[in-house]
Amino acid sequence: MIRVTVWKEYLHEKEEPVRHIYPNGIHGCIKEFLQTDEELVIKTATFEMPEHGLTDEVLAQTDVLIFWSHMRQNEFSDEVAARVCSHVRQGMGLVALHSAHFSKIMKGLLGTSMTLRWKHGESERVFCTAPYHPIAEGIPERFDIPKEEMYGEYFDIPKPDDVIFTGWFSCGEVFRSGCTFHSGYGKIFYFQPGHEEYPVYYIPEVQKIIKNAVHWCKPSVRKASPLDCAEVKEVTLP
């Protein structure tokens, strides 16, 4: 079984129109469709929980963290952000959604400004540009999102391992919409679609991509302690 924690601030959904679109929160919507996969065990956490619901104990029992953040990026605990980064480097998988690109966690793991250009209310066509990748399994060569927040280049990220999806927007902008990275022992997938004012997480292709990403991000190796520079006291040659 893959143990998944879905994290969302759960602040937008307390007001209209977002509450109408996601009455159980975006994290609740994601949990609901992930529960159709019998290989996954899902729990949720939110911003206002103690330590944002991301204690060492929770993270130690999480194989893949799905993370969506926006309103409280700057107020997110530095200590908790560093803790999450450490667990990713030890092997925990991370699926970062939409505006989580600008979170302290993603900046800490990838080491760049994570800046981009944005504009509300465009349609998006998502092209599969790495059909060989496991995250693209079962995804058509392209699919449409009727309304989405445009994210545009230049996207200040390190060179991805793979750009699996590329978004084209009705205003003419393009974006590297689905990218994979590694940090330490951990696998990271960033996926751009998912603005809170639009029902993007009900789209079957989006749900399938997130499910695939969870399976791909699951740990291959999980270290028991943070990575460190270890002194070699003795070398034995064969």
Side-chain angles (χ1 to χ4, degrees), residues 9-234:
E9 289 166 328
Y10 195 36
L11 299 171
H12 293 95
E13 299 94 329
K14 295 180 179 181
E15 298 180 0
E16 298 296 351
V18 184
R19 180 168 54 192
H20 178 74
I21 300 168
Y22 294 108
N24 297 317
I26 286 176
H27 56 304
C29 174
I30 293 173
K31 178 181 180 180
E32 184 175 352
F33 71 71
L34 288 181
Q35 285 177 325
T36 63
D37 187 328
E38 295 181 352
E39 296 183 40
L40 307 183
V41 177
I42 305 105
K43 57 189 173 186
T44 62
T46 60
F47 184 92
E48 294 181 336
M49 295 172 68
E51 300 183 63
H52 306 319
L54 298 174
T55 63
D56 252 325
E57 292 75 16
V58 168
L59 295 173
Q61 297 174 29
T62 298
D63 296 314
V64 179
L65 174 65
I66 299 176
F67 193 82
W68 195 112
S69 63
H70 183 197
M71 288 180 72
R72 300 283 183 89
Q73 308 267 41
N74 292 332
E75 298 173 46
F76 193 90
S77 164
D78 291 342
E79 180 181 353
V80 176
R83 178 187 304 156
V84 173
C85 289
S86 180
H87 277 270
V88 172
R89 295 187 185 107
Q90 289 171 238
M92 183 183 73
L94 175 65
V95 178
L97 299 176
H98 193 57
S99 47
H101 73 91
F102 210 56
S103 64
K104 292 178 179 179
I105 292 169
M106 286 292 279
K107 290 178 181 179
L109 289 168
L110 299 186
T112 58
S113 73
M114 305 300 292
T115 51
L116 45 74
R117 301 165 69 245
W118 61 273
K119 180 178 183 292
H120 285 298
E122 300 292 331
S123 62
E124 179 179 6
R125 176 160 291 177
V126 180
F127 290 87
C128 182
T129 46
Y132 51 80
H133 198 283
I135 295 177
E137 182 180 354
I139 303 302
E141 63 181 19
R142 64 179 180 269
F143 66 92
D144 292 330
I145 298 176
K147 187 161 284 191
E148 178 56 289
E149 180 181 20
M150 182 278 290
Y151 279 6
E153 299 288 347
Y154 173 61
F155 186 21
D156 183 22
I157 54 176
K159 184 178 179 180
D161 295 327
D162 279 291
V163 178
I164 305 172
F165 303 104
T166 300
W168 175 86
F169 294 87
S170 51
C171 59
E173 300 279 351
V174 296
F175 191 72
R176 289 168 286 173
S177 294
C179 302
T180 62
F181 308 89
H182 283 76
S183 182
Y185 290 86
K187 288 176 280 189
I188 301 167
F189 176 61
Y190 171 72
F191 192 44
Q192 163 266 316
H195 183 63
E196 70 277 0
E197 295 179 325
Y198 312 123
V200 174
Y201 292 114
Y202 296 105
I203 297 173
E205 292 88 351
V206 171
Q207 294 184 357
K208 176 65 172 171
I209 288 168
I210 293 173
K211 286 182 181 180
N212 288 350
V214 167
H215 283 271
W216 180 79
C217 284
K218 68 181 180 182
S220 301
V221 176
R222 188 71 181 262
K223 304 292 286 185
S225 58
L227 304 190
D228 196 5
C229 293
E231 179 185 1
V232 178
K233 297 182 180 299
E234 183 178 335

